[in-house]
Amino acid sequence: MTSDPEFSTAGAYVTTGEEFVRDQSYITTRITADGRDGYPVEPGRYRLVVSRACPWANRAIIVRRLLGLEDAMSLGVCGPTHDSRSWTFDLDPGGVDPVLGIPRIQDAYLRRFPDYPKGITVPAVVDVPSGAVVTNDYAQITLDLSTQWTAHHRPGAPDLYPEHLRDEIDQVARQVFTDVNNGVYRCGFAGSQEAYERAYRRLFARLDALEERLSGQRYLVGDTLTEADVRLFTTLVRFDAVYHGHFKCNRNKLTEMPVLWAYARDLFQTPGFGDTVDFDHIKRHYYVVHEDINPTQIVPAGPDLRGWLTPHGRESLGGRPFGDGTPPAPVRPEERVDPAHTAEAMAG
């Protein structure tokens, strides 16, 4: 297994002497209420394919759960690692997705684009009747789940992308993506000392700014959970487990940044966030797949994860996680993270 740019969730690899640049050319077809791109919102028609290891896919898992779209869009889960061709359904009986009937997500890409030249990435939404991928545009996928699938949201679903806050959410999300979500990769896959140090400084400058921003407010934008919080969370929850050591983002651990650590625990303990996190898959993906960074493929035993379950005290800042809505129902049995892979089970 290698971090081949054609197949890695991040399109990430080390090029000596160069700065890591993410390929952001995705399949931009959208599933919309009016079907403008030929794919109308239709419950039961589409399957969201993810890996629990991938931070970009983790966003879609969280949003789907918060909005209660389990009946409207099924979930296919790839394993934490992939081979030289693509992500594989090795968690399913016989290594075949039970709905799509394919062993690897690459098959859905090639069903629509026989000569598809770009990265085979997750998350991806697949049209079940045709077996063809619709989109892998992870940023737009979650926004469309919030804005185009409203007719199928659960009663009490939160508004993760409220119209009056969209400009601010977009601005914060851009900063978080550039300096944090992608910033950790720019550190980890830097091809020179200079490129690494530039990315390192930029990452921690942004984390310091976020620490200050969140010292006086419970959530990133407004007084409820939004898309911005989802996007930051999936990097923070992976920070100490992989980014601090594996990607050399080691000025501080998350546990040493008091405000961000409390904020991350607050989200982790909110239904829809921590119950989507599989720490075993996360660690196995990064340490096994990225052979150019970790040629031995040894997966660290740590860190101690028990702190994720400790009180965070963020309630004192006010805020209402779900606004006028309600928390999602408990995770369905078939979609639960393996109990052995949770923070409680993997605590040192």
Side-chain angles (χ1 to χ4, degrees):
M1 297 175 186
T2 67
S3 51
D4 188 318
E6 289 300 306
F7 304 108
S8 171
T9 179
Y13 61 107
V14 175
T15 301
T16 302
E18 295 185 10
E19 182 172 307
F20 168 67
V21 177
R22 181 177 300 279
D23 181 356
Q24 296 188 63
S25 300
Y26 298 102
I27 303 169
T28 58
T29 309
R30 293 176 61 193
I31 301 168
T32 58
D34 62 8
R36 71 192 74 164
D37 287 355
Y39 291 94
V41 167
E42 185 179 324
R45 176 173 172 177
Y46 305 101
R47 187 160 177 80
L48 175 65
V49 176
V50 301
S51 168
R52 295 191 184 277
C54 171
W56 321 100
N58 197 175
R59 296 180 181 184
I61 300 171
I62 292 169
V63 170
R64 172 181 174 271
R65 174 151 159 63
L66 292 177
L67 299 178
L69 289 170
E70 291 92 338
D71 286 334
M73 182 180 289
S74 64
L75 186 71
V77 182
C78 297
T81 61
H82 53 71
D83 61 20
S84 61
R85 291 171 59 193
S86 82
W87 295 92
T88 53
F89 293 102
D90 49 281
L91 302 177
D92 293 307
V96 173
D97 180 88
V99 172
L100 299 174
I102 56 177
R104 58 184 68 247
I105 187 59
Q106 181 191 42
D107 296 336
Y109 279 75
L110 298 181
R111 180 69 61 89
R112 184 172 176 200
F113 304 106
D115 299 314
Y116 188 71
K118 308 296 290 184
I120 306 295
T121 61
V122 290
V125 181
V126 179
D127 177 46
V128 174
S130 67
V133 68
V134 178
T135 180
N136 64 344
D137 188 353
Y138 64 88
Q140 192 64 49
I141 286 171
T142 52
L143 296 181
D144 283 345
L145 291 179
S146 285
T147 62
Q148 302 299 311
W149 289 77
T150 54
H152 306 286
H153 289 180
R154 66 178 176 86
D159 186 352
L160 299 175
Y161 197 50
E163 194 162 359
H164 70 288
L165 293 176
R166 287 181 188 176
D167 287 346
E168 186 176 0
I169 292 171
D170 291 346
Q171 178 187 28
V172 171
R174 279 193 298 271
Q175 295 170 343
V176 167
F177 170 79
T178 302
D179 300 337
V180 182
N181 300 147
N182 195 45
V184 293
Y185 284 87
R186 290 173 62 243
C187 289
F189 289 94
S192 70
Q193 187 70 33
E194 293 76 14
Y196 162 72
E197 291 183 5
R198 284 195 300 270
Y200 175 97
R201 289 192 297 269
R202 190 167 179 177
L203 166 67
F204 282 100
R206 181 61 60 192
L207 290 176
D208 288 342
L210 290 168
E211 180 101 342
E212 183 174 353
R213 180 186 184 99
L214 288 163
S215 65
Q217 61 191 67
R218 190 170 179 184
Y219 304 110
L220 282 172
V221 181
D223 66 350
T224 63
L225 292 166
T226 68
E227 174 80 15
D229 298 295
V230 175
R231 295 187 180 198
L232 179 56
F233 172 77
T234 59
T235 295
L236 295 183
V237 80
R238 288 160 173 77
F239 200 89
D240 286 4
V242 289
Y243 301 144
H244 177 270
H246 184 56
F247 278 179
K248 307 179 185 69
C249 302
N250 62 353
R251 192 197 74 179
N252 308 97
K253 295 177 182 176
L254 176 65
T255 56
E256 296 165 345
M257 294 179 273
V259 173
L260 281 173
W261 175 222
Y263 165 80
R265 298 201 316 277
D266 186 3
L267 295 184
F268 187 88
Q269 294 169 31
T270 299
F273 285 82
D275 53 29
T276 71
V277 175
D278 188 316
F279 284 107
D280 177 79
H281 281 200
I282 289 168
K283 293 202 300 182
R284 280 204 283 151
H285 172 74
Y286 284 90
Y287 286 103
V288 172
V289 169
H290 298 158
E291 286 185 70
D292 42 359
I293 297 177
N294 187 41
T296 65
Q297 298 181 298
I298 294 171
V299 179
D304 186 338
L305 299 170
R306 75 187 76 191
W308 283 104
L309 307 174
T310 60
H312 52 75
R314 296 281 292 177
E315 305 94 335
S316 63
L317 294 172
R320 302 169 300 148
F322 301 99
D324 294 328
T326 57
V331 182
R332 296 180 176 191
E334 67 274 15
E335 294 188 3
R336 289 177 186 159
V337 172
D338 185 330
H341 300 173
T342 62
E344 186 172 23
M346 296 183 72

